[in-house]
Amino acid sequence: MPQQEEERILQANNRRFNSLFEYPDNSIKTSKYSFFNFLPVNLFEQFQRLANAYFLILLFLQLIPQISSLAWYTTVIPLIVVLSITGVKDAIDDVVKWLPGLPSLHLKRHQSDQQVNNRSVLILVNGRIEENKWRNVQVGDIIKLENDHPVTADVLLLSSSEPYGLTYIETADLDGETNLKVKQAVSATSDMEDNLELLSAFNGEVRCEPPNNKLDRFSGTLSYLGDTYFLDYERLLLRGCIIRNTDWCYGLVVYTGPDTKLMQNSGRSTFKRTHIDHLMNVLVLWIFMLLGGMCFLLSIGHGIWESNRGYHFQAFLPWERYITSSAASSALAFWSYFIVLNTMVPISLYVSVEIIRLGNSYYINWDRKMFYAPKNTPAQARTTTLNEELGQVEYVFSDKTGTLTENVMIFNKCSINGKTYGYSYDENGQCVPKSPSNKVDFSYNHLADPKFSFYDKTLVEAVKSEDPLVYLFFLCLSLCHTVMSEEKVEGELVYQAQSPDEGALVTASRNFGFVFHSRTPETITVIEMGRVRVYRLLAILDFSNERKRMSVIVQTPEDRVMLFCKGADTIIYELLHPSCAALSDVTMDQLDDFASEGLRTLMVAYRELDKAFFQTWIKKHGEAWLTLENREKKLALVYEEIERDLVLLGATAIEDKLQSGVPETIVTLNKAKIKIWVLTGDKQETAVNIAYSCRIFKDEMDAVFMVEGTDRETVLEELRTARKKMKPESLLESDPINIYLARKSKMPFKAVDEVPNGSYGLVISGCSLAYALESNTEFELLRTACMCKGVVCCRMTPLQKAQVVDLVKRYKKVVTLAIGDGANDIGMIKAAHIGVGISGQEGMQATLSSDFSFCQFRYLQRLLLVHGRWSYNRMCKFLSYFFYKNFAFTLVHFWYAFFNGFSAQTVYDIWFITFYNLIYTSLPILGLSLFEKDVNETWSLCYPELYEPGQHNLYFNKKEFIKCLLHGIYSSFVLFFVPMGTVFNSERSDGKDISDFQSFSLLVQTTLIWVMTMQIALSTTYWTMINHAFTWGSLGLYFCILFLLCSDGLCLMFPSVFNFLGVARNGLNQPQMWLCLVLSSVLCLIPLMGYNFLKPILWPINVDKVLNRIHFCLKHPLPPPVQIKVKHPGLRRSAYAFSHKQGFGALITSGKTLKSRAFTRR
């Protein structure tokens, strides 16, 4: 296949022709390594790390005897340990794959791939249907798909069991939506149905676009029998969809395996590195520069010493033959010191970071409070490299459907003739909270949906009393819709709704005794309180985005012509008869109450039509329908003629069921100064409604700006108008931020935070966003959006979602998090620093491309405020201590150089150098990094302000690194000169001299270990038994190993390797040794203790103030704030047909949605 496919060409039932293009087969591979390539590929990746490459070069230098001042095993042992641990971790990450929905089952990626590739599929071969495996499907094959089965590849729909080649599909894995969608076969092939002879003879040629990741677009042509047919997205079934309510269908395979749109969106994720990773790389470069400078300085010192003093020692220490001058000796000394001071760049740093991240990842996996019992699914850290980044998030980009909501609509309340129904009452008529005991009993209705719940028994009583307005209200709900009904088992109705809103309303009317039973193109059958009534369907006035309503005109069995209408309240209000003025005012107040509860509202009205008027109108309707020019406009005018003087029946209030805890989670995240942006493909109305329901938008906001421009100039003007209202001075050239921006010629630069004069929200549609994301307007969008408390972007494509995330990343330079559940969210999940997948009842595709996954949005606050914050704090403490202990350890050599003629002699025993980072100091800092908690999880959640330091990276940055360096320099100075003063010209109590090198080395390294232990003890605020064991156990382990290495047995057996014979026994029994240890420890610890004491007093940060407030609030609880209800009629949200698709009414009346048996059932 060409490297870049410009056009895909294929022919049905012709594998020989299609093989010429070398299209891939239908197998998939998600694993990174294989058995044969793991070792070379993994080593290549590991040595791309600067530190690992540095130590490999260092190993080769140590093999050169002329410059080697340390034994080769001091580098080989740590390097092998580091590479092995990292390699095992990488292998586990690649091999183990979490299967959503099966928490107890971990399958190898290879086994998972095999499981998918070996699924069975029915392929048409030589006129017969044969069972084969998914992996063997090829481009151009015709396959048979059956009900409730997943689609094998991206296929062109040829025919189905439904009339006109219609096929119902569920796309939860692609876009997170569970409501059914309809696809229609190509007209030229739909008549083939399941005739294998015709399908086998089909040799159509398809020319279409090359493989891409655009889930909502497809274009191509089909050439067949001399005719050419245009192909679009409505003809394509995508891999990952599930066939629903369709017995069978046939499709022509267009894209296979890695070329399918699902796999194109699920491609290998780019390697994400945290901000601390980038900072560590910069700091390692700084250390390299410092190391090089020190080596250069010491080599110069060596040259000067050799020239001035060294010749005195040549009688008994002659130069080697390869040294010809002091300059040559100085050059060799440079590399010798490069080896001696190599621990300035700690090899165990990276492996320690990996272990810490791995441990903190397991805390997420083990968190029972993030375990979703209904699905038996825990939270899952799918990567182990981003834990501390979770503690630095400033922007969260969230999908809506399946992420914030459950995509389940519930008929919650209603208003009929001015009376509100839906509240729960006790025997005394007092309103009480809803409970199972107050649930309405629908047992009197054998066709009721058992899953439907309602708690106001007065509505049932009104229905049973045959109140005429209540009767008309539910009759309207049972007739005015586009729902399809299917009765697979007698008495069990299954509704296929184009939108979940429609399904909720029809289900409600069904439970209250008005059961929509079936439809034909001419009739609608309703069972009203047990009586079967057939209404003649005269017309459907279809929904459109502009009309925001739909109507049906029916003829009743009593020969009355009735128009029933439902739609957005603001629209219906204008169409009402003047006699309804008083009732409409009452109803509008009730709608305000519904909207304030976050419910989605619509109005219901009717009109009885004069037959003569209707006959005249239906002729106009027919003429407009047949018009080719401006048909939509003419139809709208005809609709307006009849949709007037309506009589108000009431209103409905539907709860777009949010996931549990979503509003509380968003309020908590906002308190942590985390901004929430909703990026959704849904319509503006539903997106805004959800934003209010989950408290991203609030009624108390000063304004919510709507950007709806259809050209660049209009969009730019709307954005500037919004910014002018939020911060008028931001449009002036004299504004400090504008002056700052004028100086920044390079793009992109860091955008400065701007503070608005109030609380605002922003809503922008995908059409407007296309212009706003252009290079010359994107910064205007960013400035305006970032001043808002909440942002909603609707009607977005997957690409636009990723572009918005990338926009914030490029200009704000902050940590971003994207959370979603469908394949259309994969772009933004990969674009964000952190991607979170929702693995609930909706789509699961995003989970496979995510860094973290769980079932409920509310778990996000624990992920960030608890696990993220702890991980960030632990990592910062680890890095500060780690750099400090290595500076203090290594820089002792620098001071010693001035006393040994700059000869690159080491202060410590070779084995101490080898074990210092691997054994002696590794466990205490790992214990702190895995178990440290400055506050418990309750405080972390109750006071989200504690999250702020991570957002500004206050705990570890370049400034903190300089502090570590200075602290390390000071400590190394104390650790060298105090022991030096102790042993200089010192004698034992028996008069023997102790000022020898080995005694001095023992004293320095013992003091160093003691000081490091005290430092880690002072840094620990949360002690566990493991911390005690690691901290004090490591100190004890040092002395055990010390006595072992200085033992007579080892030193006598291997005198060239272990040459500190008896030093520990003779040195540690001297009182001046212990006095030196105490004095050094005090001198090293006093600065740290003084700084920690004075810092919160002299330079307090918000966290210090919050901790003080916590203690105060625990002693003096504050009364809860009083919420003042503010009504904004303009903010009332309509619930009507948010997921509807224009033209569905015409599809119903055409009869295409019905099977042939539907016409002959009665």
Side-chain angles (χ1 to χ4, degrees), residues 143-159:
I143 60 176
K144 181 180 181 180
L145 302 170
E146 297 179 322
N147 191 34
D148 295 331
H149 281 63
V151 179
T152 308
D154 290 354
V155 300
L156 179 67
L157 184 59
L158 298 179
S159 63

Side-chain angles (χ1 to χ4, degrees), residues 370 378-379 819 836-840 852-857 859-860 863:
M370 296 172 68
I819 179 169
V836 178
I838 297 292
S839 55
F852 301 89
S853 66
F854 42 71
C855 285
Q856 295 284 292
F857 182 87
Y859 297 153
L860 184 62
L863 184 70

Side-chain angles (χ1 to χ4, degrees), residues 46 49 52 82 85-87 89-90 93 271 273 277 280 348-362 383-388 875 878 926 930:
Q46 289 203 57
R49 277 183 170 170
N52 289 346
V82 167
I85 293 176
T86 306
K89 173 191 161 296
D90 291 341
D93 281 348
F271 181 66
R273 302 182 69 88
D277 279 332
M280 283 168 54
S348 60
L349 170 64
Y350 288 101
V351 71
S352 299
V353 167
E354 296 296 341
I355 293 173
I356 293 166
R357 287 172 172 168
L358 183 63
N360 286 316
S361 297
Y362 276 109
T383 181
T384 58
T385 59
L386 301 174
N387 300 88
E388 69 273 8
M875 185 61 70
F878 165 79
L926 283 179
L930 291 174

Side-chain angles (χ1 to χ4, degrees), residues 30 41 331 522 618 678 745 820 867 875 886 965:
T30 60
V41 172
E522 297 87 16
I618 198 68
V678 176
S745 56
H867 294 287
M875 185 61 70
N886 279 280
L965 176 60

Side-chain angles (χ1 to χ4, degrees), residues 352-406:
S352 299
V353 167
E354 296 296 341
I355 293 173
I356 293 166
R357 287 172 172 168
L358 183 63
N360 286 316
S361 297
Y362 276 109
Y363 289 150
I364 296 172
N365 299 343
W366 295 337
D367 191 341
R368 297 296 298 179
K369 294 183 179 178
M370 296 172 68
F371 178 83
Y372 189 59
K375 294 292 181 182
N376 196 30
T377 304
Q380 172 73 2
R382 297 177 58 82
T383 181
T384 58
T385 59
L386 301 174
N387 300 88
E388 69 273 8
E389 198 97 314
L390 291 170
Q392 299 180 275
V393 174
E394 286 194 46
Y395 283 83
V396 170
F397 302 93
S398 175
D399 179 40
K400 183 191 76 68
T401 305
T403 303
L404 298 175
T405 71
E406 295 183 0

